[in-house]
Amino acid sequence: MKHKFWLAAVVSAALLAGPALPAAPAFADGGETEVHVALYVKTNNYNASTGAVTLSAEGGLVLSDAAAGVDWLRTADASAVRATTDGYRVVVVETPEAAKAAAFAADAKKAGQPVAVFERTKGGKPLYAVEAGPYATKAAAEAGRTALAGNAAVATRLAGASMTLRGPFYARASAHASEAEALAAAAPLWDAGVYAVPALTSEGGVVRYELWIGGAADDAGLQERIAAAASAKPGLAAVPVAATVRYVALRSDRVGDASLAPATRHAAVGGDGAKLTATPAKDGGAVRVAERFARSYRGAIDVFAHNGALAVVNRVGLESYVAAVVGAELDASWPVEALKAQAVAARTYVLKQGWKYGVANVTDTTSDQAYRGIEREFPVILAAAEATAGERLTLPGGALLDAFYSSNAGGRTADPLEVWGAPIPGLASTPSPDDAAERNKLLWYRVVLPDQRIGYIRSDLVKLTGATNKAGFPLGTVAEDAVNVRTAPFVNNDTNPSIASLSKGAGVTVIDRDIESTAYQWIRGPIDASRLQLQMNASGVAPGVVAGLGTPSSIEVTERGAASARVTEVVVNGKDIPVTRPEQYRTLFGLPSSRFEVEQTGAVTVLGADGKRTELSSTAAQPLSAIGANGVKKTLSAEAYLISNGDGTARVATRGAAFRFHGTGFGHGLGMSQWGAFGLAEIGYDYRKILLYYYKDASVTKE
């Protein structure tokens, strides 16, 4: 059958991102191009979320009003500032007990809500407000409150107490010369039960400290709080703050894990179009973002609201960005010409993206290009980026090429038809010398353990005895203590955890040998049907069809691309899986690439004495038995069993439905293969020759 997954044919990979967006403003500026990298952003096709970001820099931070071009706040040292937007919040509880506040905060976080613990005083003693949020709208805050009320742990702690809302409706109460002066003015209002917060504004280009009251969820609530403040402090004339006023509300945040953390300044930016910009106070410094794996970034970090969520964008010079991408994508030990080729491809890729995310050109993930800030800056990589500065790949006529690349093409790059379902100018399938990825990797033995379980052990951890079992398979003993056995031949404690740990001297039977799985060629599984079903449902691929399949009992690859044999059609349980582009099949099964084969370990073909072939599977009603070399018949009841062909080879079959995937390559396989560039550089190709090998009809130009 022929798939119809590209009914809306893609004529350019850029269309995959949605409607055309205007070019990034920075790309039109004079001087060095500035790249906007989204660390957190919410769009129709990408969502990386966080409630707040904790920023710091060696030598201090400068926090600015980006629109007015004035500095709001400076820190004198590496102390952190927690930055977010000033939206709506759910006040879960207010309590003078630190332990109680920490417990409420922990339960709210477990309920999936962003949390802060704001500290102020009442009667000269600490008072802790546990608040969930911020939320972009009052309705969203109400939904958050409902979710928290429905959480058993939170509801038990509340014991019938109600949760209230705060919001971004304020009134100016007084102006002050410093934050300390504003806090002193707030204390008597706090004692009277009036919510007040110091705020920084920069109207008319002048920075002012003010004391604001309210924090109400609507205008009516604000009027009530203005009246309460006037009652508590006769003569106080509070004036509502217009929504157009940009500001930063300053609080002390104590949110932690098991207990309250030391106080961190909490800066919530608000007002129409408000954007908080953080830069290092020290020349040549970098801003650290704790929530983004504690990475540090050159340039500036912008914090603002976008699409109802917190957006965090790193603005950085193009060449600094390119060097960081090369470092994140490759290792400093790689051939210099491969590093240069990666620099040109990375530069071309980002320049081609335009204003892809509405507020940013790219993200920092492999949805675009891996980017880790200064973490991956190395002298040789900085030199590679500098040596190619300004160079990019163009097509005849001068248009930028779609400079896609992947880690490893598995011996041959993909044709765009096999990946996106449509041609892309400059990209075609070509042989690729990718096998350097498995250089110096050891063989792994596939072994049968004393308890009859089957897995892999690295060959240097097994000593072959020279003896064989009755079926002719080699016997061995474990050479060291605490040797891990894994389902597939590679080490990854998250995706391929140990299934057993053997002591020195333990006996094993070797039934097969495989090279360690790498980006070049790999094995995944056996994966039992129920676990694979979870993966398929979580993949988001063809959700309507996949949800109705039930537990997979059969998987059949029914069509492959003509150029590189990547999978372009799959049938599961007899049903076609429709996709919008063929490359989604690797996502469906959670595999490194779409260049794979499927082994159904729960299906067996038996040839009887009469020559009749019988297909048996995990769904067959009859029990499966075997007659051993000693003539004894035995029912196969183990989870896995070994079928020997009598010629020294064997197949592992499973009693239940399970699947083993064999494949080559890592990534979509389009354009340049990074490992292929490694191989070409080793045989003497310079970076230009590498690029023109992978990108057809292209030119390396400089602007």
Side-chain angles (χ1 to χ4, degrees):
M1 71 185 76
K2 294 295 182 183
H3 248 317
K4 304 299 182 186
F5 36 60
W6 37 88
L7 288 175
V10 187
V11 296
S12 166
L15 296 183
L16 295 171
L21 293 169
F27 282 11
D29 291 345
E32 185 186 14
T33 298
E34 188 174 59
V35 179
H36 292 61
V37 187
L39 310 183
Y40 292 99
V41 72
K42 178 182 177 183
T43 69
N44 291 335
N45 54 13
Y46 184 87
N47 186 9
S49 301
T50 185
V53 285
T54 308
L55 309 175
S56 61
E58 293 296 329
L61 282 173
V62 179
L63 300 177
S64 304
D65 176 352
V70 298
D71 296 342
W72 262 327
L73 188 67
R74 286 177 177 262
T75 63
D77 52 28
S79 58
V81 174
R82 189 160 294 128
T84 187
T85 54
D86 194 33
Y88 294 82
R89 292 182 175 273
V90 177
V91 182
V92 182
V93 69
E94 289 188 309
T95 176
E97 302 174 39
K100 184 177 180 179
F104 264 101
D107 285 340
K109 281 196 284 188
K110 289 177 184 176
Q113 302 298 317
V115 178
V117 180
F118 295 124
E119 179 183 6
R120 61 183 190 274
T121 61
K122 188 169 185 178
K125 296 181 180 179
L127 180 69
Y128 306 103
V130 179
E131 299 185 9
Y135 304 96
T137 64
K138 185 178 180 181
E142 292 282 13
R145 176 163 60 178
T146 299
L148 286 166
N151 180 273
V154 174
T156 299
R157 290 195 188 279
L158 285 170
S162 61
M163 294 178 283
T164 59
L165 296 186
R166 289 206 210 285
F169 288 77
Y170 296 99
R172 285 188 173 97
S174 51
H176 301 278
S178 66
E179 183 181 3
E181 188 178 298
L183 287 169
L189 292 174
W190 290 341
D191 291 346
V194 176
Y195 184 77
V197 60
L200 278 166
T201 68
S202 52
E203 290 178 281
V206 178
V207 178
R208 290 191 296 271
Y209 281 99
E210 298 178 342
L211 182 64
W212 289 6
I213 62 170
D218 50 38
D219 281 317
L222 178 60
Q223 292 304 319
E224 292 175 0
R225 296 183 186 190
I226 290 174
S231 177
K233 189 175 181 181
L236 179 65
V239 179
V241 178
T244 55
V245 174
R246 296 189 303 274
Y247 65 89
V248 171
L250 299 174
R251 302 175 180 89
S252 176
D253 194 345
R254 298 288 305 277
V255 69
D257 293 322
S259 58
L260 296 187
T264 298
R265 175 178 275 153
H266 187 115
V269 61
D272 291 349
K275 181 182 292 185
L276 181 68
T277 296
T279 54
K282 183 179 177 182
D283 287 344
V287 180
R288 180 177 181 268
V289 183
E291 288 74 13
R292 206 63 180 156
F293 311 102
R295 293 172 183 157
S296 294
Y297 302 91
R298 299 206 182 280
I301 301 292
D302 290 334
V303 179
F304 55 98
H306 179 67
N307 283 344
L310 181 69
V312 182
V313 174
N314 175 209
R315 288 187 287 111
V316 60
L318 172 62
E319 298 306 332
S320 291
Y321 169 78
V322 168
V325 168
V326 176
E329 291 280 354
L330 305 181
D331 191 83
S333 64
W334 278 40
V336 170
E337 296 305 311
L339 299 178
K340 291 179 182 178
Q342 178 64 65
V344 176
R347 187 180 298 108
T348 306
Y349 179 89
V350 70
L351 291 173
K352 179 72 173 180
Q353 299 316 297
W355 209 220
K356 182 176 178 180
Y357 295 96
V359 293
N361 311 114
V362 288
T363 67
D364 65 339
T365 72
T366 53
S367 292
D368 291 292
Q369 304 185 112
Y371 171 67
R372 302 179 189 173
I374 68 172
E375 173 186 312
R376 297 291 295 175
E377 286 184 357
F378 302 102
V380 66
I381 287 173
L382 291 168
E386 183 178 359
T388 65
E391 294 185 352
R392 71 281 309 278
L393 290 155
T394 56
L395 294 166
L400 287 168
L401 179 142
D402 283 299
F404 291 115
Y405 55 86
S406 67
S407 172
N408 194 300
R412 188 173 189 92
T413 65
D415 186 288
L417 288 169
E418 299 172 297
V419 178
W420 301 136
I424 299 173
L427 302 185
S429 181
T430 191
S432 184
D434 297 308
D435 57 345
E438 64 179 19
R439 186 181 298 162
N440 300 323
K441 299 297 183 183
L442 293 172
L443 286 172
W444 286 56
Y445 291 147
R446 198 176 191 194
V447 300
V448 180
L449 306 184
D451 63 4
Q452 303 305 303
R453 284 185 293 169
I454 296 170
Y456 280 94
I457 301 177
R458 211 172 62 200
S459 60
D460 62 326
L461 300 175
V462 175
K463 181 179 180 181
L464 298 180
T465 66
T468 62
N469 68 2
K470 291 182 180 180
F473 293 105
L475 300 178
T477 58
V478 175
E480 297 180 9
D481 275 326
V483 169
N484 287 323
V485 183
R486 299 177 188 272
T487 301
F490 66 97
V491 176
N492 187 309
N493 290 327
D494 295 323
T495 62
N496 188 39
S498 170
I499 60 171
S501 180
L502 300 181
S503 300
K504 186 175 182 178
V508 296
T509 302
V510 178
I511 61 171
D512 205 354
R513 296 167 174 82
D514 288 293
I515 193 73
E516 181 174 320
S517 289
T518 63
Y520 178 56
Q521 59 180 329
W522 43 265
I523 294 170
R524 296 292 186 271
I527 305 170
D528 68 77
S530 58
R531 188 156 64 93
L532 187 59
Q533 182 184 14
L534 292 174
Q535 158 62 33
M536 291 168 63
N537 285 329
S539 72
V541 175
V545 174
V546 170
L549 290 173
T551 304
S553 58
S554 68
I555 299 173
E556 183 183 3
V557 174
T558 52
E559 192 170 297
R560 294 181 180 276
S564 71
R566 281 169 168 77
V567 173
T568 58
E569 185 176 85
V570 170
V571 171
V572 178
N573 292 356
K575 294 184 179 180
D576 181 36
I577 308 298
V579 293
T580 57
R581 57 187 187 274
E583 211 265 335
Q584 288 181 312
Y585 287 123
R586 72 179 175 115
T587 304
L588 178 68
F589 300 122
L591 301 176
S593 84
S594 59
R595 207 172 189 224
F596 62 84
E597 304 278 352
V598 186
E599 176 189 349
Q600 299 187 188
T601 62
V604 180
T605 300
V606 178
L607 182 64
D610 57 0
K612 183 179 179 182
R613 299 171 68 90
T614 304
E615 302 291 337
L616 301 175
S617 72
S618 58
T619 60
Q622 68 269 39
L624 193 62
S625 300
I627 299 177
N630 57 5
V632 176
K633 181 178 179 180
K634 183 178 181 181
T635 299
L636 299 176
S637 58
E639 290 301 316
Y641 49 93
L642 192 65
I643 302 173
S644 174
N645 293 329
D647 61 357
T649 62
R651 178 189 167 203
V652 175
T654 54
R655 186 158 59 95
F659 304 89
R660 195 165 182 245
F661 297 88
H662 308 249
T664 60
F666 195 100
H668 50 61
L670 284 172
M672 184 177 71
S673 166
Q674 292 169 325
W675 276 105
F678 183 106
L680 291 175
E682 283 196 318
I683 62 173
Y685 279 43
D686 68 17
Y687 75 97
R688 289 173 176 264
K689 194 172 180 181
I690 292 170
L691 291 166
L692 300 184
Y693 178 84
Y694 284 109
Y695 300 111
K696 309 302 181 183
D697 301 320
S699 299
V700 178
T701 60
K702 187 169 185 176
E703 186 172 308

